[in-house]
Amino acid sequence: MDLFGKTITELQALIKEKKVAASEVWEYFVKRSKRHNPKLNAYVSLLEKPSNPIVKGIIPKMELWGIPLAVKDNYCTKGVRTTASSKVLDDFISPYESTVTSKLKLSGYELLGKTNMDAWAHGASTETSDYGLTKNPWDLGRYPGGSSGGSAAAVAAYIAPGAIGSDTGGSIRHPSAWCGIIGLKPTYGRVSRYGVIAMGSSFDCPGPMTQSVEDNAMLLQIMAGKDPYDATSSPVAVPDYRSKMKTKRKLKIGIAREYLKGVEPDIQTAFENMVDVIKKMGHSVVDVSLMSPEYSISVYTIAQRAEVSSNLGRYDGIRYANNRAYFGQEAKRRIMLGTYTLSHGYYDAFYKKAQKVRTLIKNNFKKTFEDVDLIIGPNTPVTALKVGEFEKYPFFGELMDQLNEPASAAGIPAMSIPIELDSKNLPIGMQIMGNYFDESSIFNFAYQIEQETNFFDVIKKGREKYK
Ligand code: GLN
């Protein structure tokens, strides 16, 4: 049986119908990972053995039985090395399991490997990883985007059928756009952050990265929900995403022209073409006016650094891990800036003001969602940049994520879907933003686009080279 390109949903069916054994699926992905990882560097650690005893022929009633997934290396996985791509945690073997990976484990998944990322999730290129950067499967001379670049590359090259990432200011959506896959940042609090190495705690969102909308919805279903270990996780009931996804709703879609400024012409054109298609599909499209993304960049830069300076304070080298001398340049820059904005005399001018503007951004989205179901726009201002560009921008992460940070500042859900290729043959992503806890409408809309257009052929094209 040729498993190449099969979605998680398809693999589940094959395992259930006994057309393929779970152990064969495991071996298939281990083999592919060993073959392609040396050039891609998508993994920091690859697991040698499955953690569940996957016996041929025995199929327990577990939804993800036999499904191997790649998990970003900032998720604590018990007994497995967890580095957040920083040498500070070089030899850290986590003594406990994150809530997300516990839930996946209870569903029977197999941890295939821990994926490379920007160290501590700071950045949008994987360049800040202490374990070398990950290469974009579309063009090995380019960045995969970040910070969940390893997870995105693993899915795009099909060395994993799906992956888990984390998004603080775009880290799932950005690499998903640059690698041409589907990535969702859920509503803040929809998925527990327990056991995810903290970056910007009021922004961090764990989320799924997949080849199909259905896979994405299925993984979120497993990951979401209230967790007693995370006080910020939400008690809002988790709907049945997949059944809600398949009713063909006619949606009212908003476009914010503010999000089109300074975007590469190829991306603009692809987006406008997509808008025409959406109208033809029978959805109504209206212009909405949102606060300029520039405000979100400022808010994010200040608040995220402040939270980083506090969160990274625990790595003092006394209780566990290596000492502070192992922090890279980017982490040091962020700690210093955060400490500065929180210090006496600057707190009111920076941190407090940023929090006030953050409230305005939230209110702006709330008001807009009174009128529309979803808001769409480009996901990134440019497609995947060449390796080396990072050095040229002091705030690379912010610039690349300027269209992603508004949803992060507000805490609303947002997804990146692949819509086309640019003239350099690189994938272009479109962002779909939804109202608080309304991931259902995002799935519904993305699923319709996936079913009724050929836009998602980008995903097929991307993996073809890795057959
Ligand atoms: N680009 C943003 C940054 O550099 C986002 C990173 C993230 O979401 N983890 O901080």
Side-chain angles (χ1 to χ4, degrees):
M1 163 88 50
D2 184 11
L3 299 180
F4 187 74
K6 296 264 183 279
T7 63
I8 300 173
T9 314
E10 286 164 347
L11 290 171
Q12 282 171 318
L14 290 172
I15 293 171
K16 212 168 145 202
E17 290 157 18
K18 297 197 176 179
K19 292 198 173 122
V20 61
S23 55
E24 282 171 56
V25 178
W26 167 263
E27 278 151 25
Y28 176 80
F29 283 103
V30 168
K31 210 165 129 199
R32 284 189 59 76
S33 296
K34 282 192 178 151
R35 180 160 140 228
H36 296 294
N37 194 53
K39 52 183 179 289
L40 294 169
N41 196 33
Y43 293 108
V44 177
S45 314
L46 253 174
L47 268 79
E48 289 295 324
K49 280 199 202 107
S51 43
N52 287 327
I54 10 185
V55 189
K56 268 193 186 146
I58 299 172
I59 309 168
K61 279 206 172 71
M62 291 165 113
E63 198 174 3
L64 289 180
W65 178 254
I67 301 296
L69 296 176
V71 175
K72 190 176 180 178
D73 207 21
N74 59 349
Y75 283 79
C76 287
T77 40
K78 193 175 175 180
V80 177
R81 183 176 175 227
T82 299
T83 69
S85 286
S86 167
K87 286 264 160 86
V88 173
L89 293 176
D90 191 41
D91 52 6
F92 176 62
I93 308 284
S94 176
Y96 74 111
E97 192 78 34
S98 76
T99 294
V100 165
T101 49
S102 295
K103 286 185 167 196
L104 295 171
K105 258 188 163 173
L106 284 170
S107 297
Y109 101 121
E110 287 297 343
L111 174 63
L112 191 57
K114 302 293 291 290
T115 56
N116 196 24
M117 53 188 276
D118 283 284
W120 308 106
H122 299 164
S125 64
T126 67
E127 179 90 65
T128 67
S129 166
D130 285 344
Y131 302 99
L133 56 90
T134 296
K135 309 283 173 55
N136 189 319
W138 287 80
D139 176 346
L140 298 178
R142 292 179 188 269
Y143 293 124
S147 65
S148 314
S151 289
V155 177
Y158 203 61
I159 58 177
I164 305 299
S166 69
D167 190 312
T168 306
S171 276
I172 286 177
R173 291 162 285 159
H174 181 271
S176 295
W178 278 14
C179 288
I181 61 159
I182 303 159
L184 173 78
K185 177 199 101 71
T187 308
Y188 178 77
R190 178 70 300 178
V191 178
S192 166
R193 292 180 291 112
Y194 178 73
V196 184
I197 292 173
M199 201 261 246
S201 306
S202 73
F203 298 86
D204 294 346
C205 294
M209 301 166 79
T210 58
Q211 297 189 104
S212 81
V213 180
E214 180 153 21
D215 284 2
N216 209 286
M218 189 250 304
L219 289 181
L220 182 67
Q221 194 83 48
I222 294 169
M223 294 162 71
K226 176 77 187 158
D227 176 15
Y229 293 126
D230 175 3
T232 61
S233 65
S234 171
V236 171
V238 182
D240 182 346
Y241 295 122
R242 269 174 296 176
S243 68
K244 284 190 160 237
M245 180 179 88
K246 290 179 181 170
T247 56
K248 283 192 182 165
R249 284 168 60 197
K250 294 284 175 246
L251 295 151
K252 190 169 178 190
I253 311 292
I255 298 178
R257 297 284 152 195
E258 294 84 353
Y259 283 54
L260 293 168
K261 270 190 216 138
V263 168
E264 268 182 353
D266 276 5
I267 300 181
Q268 293 243 8
T269 312
F271 178 71
E272 298 296 352
N273 290 344
M274 189 66 192
V275 171
D276 289 341
V277 173
I278 290 165
K279 284 184 190 157
K280 280 198 198 106
M281 284 165 68
H283 303 288
S284 65
V285 179
V286 295
D287 278 344
V288 293
S289 178
L290 287 176
M291 283 168 74
S292 162
E294 282 170 24
Y295 293 106
S296 297
I297 305 174
S298 306
V299 165
Y300 179 84
T301 307
I302 293 168
Q304 186 262 5
R305 265 55 172 187
E307 293 177 23
V308 160
S309 73
S310 157
N311 276 327
L312 294 187
R314 66 175 68 106
Y315 300 100
D316 50 15
I318 296 169
R319 286 156 298 175
Y320 54 88
N322 292 321
N323 68 37
R324 289 174 183 163
Y326 287 79
F327 273 122
Q329 286 302 328
E330 184 65 22
K332 284 184 192 163
R333 271 199 290 266
R334 291 190 187 216
I335 294 167
M336 279 166 62
L337 200 61
T339 309
Y340 178 78
T341 61
L342 288 175
S343 58
H344 185 72
Y346 296 103
Y347 179 88
D348 282 352
F350 293 110
Y351 187 75
K352 201 165 164 192
K353 196 164 184 184
Q355 295 301 349
K356 286 182 178 169
V357 180
R358 193 172 183 184
T359 303
L360 296 178
I361 296 167
K362 286 182 187 171
N363 291 343
N364 183 226
F365 274 115
K366 276 187 195 154
K367 186 118 198 61
T368 310
F369 282 119
E370 282 172 13
D371 188 40
V372 295
D373 297 307
L374 298 166
I375 300 168
I376 57 169
N379 204 285
T380 53
V382 292
T383 50
L385 290 178
K386 283 200 177 123
V387 171
E389 291 286 308
F390 172 79
E391 299 297 333
K392 299 183 192 156
Y393 304 90
F395 282 96
F396 186 89
E398 267 63 45
L399 282 170
M400 294 305 132
D401 272 328
Q402 53 186 266
L403 303 173
N404 286 323
E405 285 174 4
S408 299
I412 55 170
M415 178 184 260
S416 176
I417 58 167
I419 55 167
E420 216 168 305
L421 297 183
D422 71 356
S423 50
K424 294 179 275 246
N425 213 26
L426 297 167
I428 296 172
M430 181 174 89
Q431 183 170 213
I432 310 168
M433 292 181 271
N435 202 353
Y436 293 93
F437 297 101
D438 191 17
E439 284 81 3
S440 289
S441 294
I442 298 181
F443 287 134
N444 190 290
F445 183 58
Y447 186 70
Q448 290 189 50
I449 296 173
E450 185 184 43
Q451 299 301 304
E452 293 172 35
T453 73
N454 57 359
F455 282 106
F456 285 25
D457 283 353
V458 168
I459 298 176
K460 274 187 220 150
K461 257 182 221 149
R463 67 180 179 231
E464 219 39 53
K465 275 197 264 181
Y466 297 87
K467 209 166 164 99

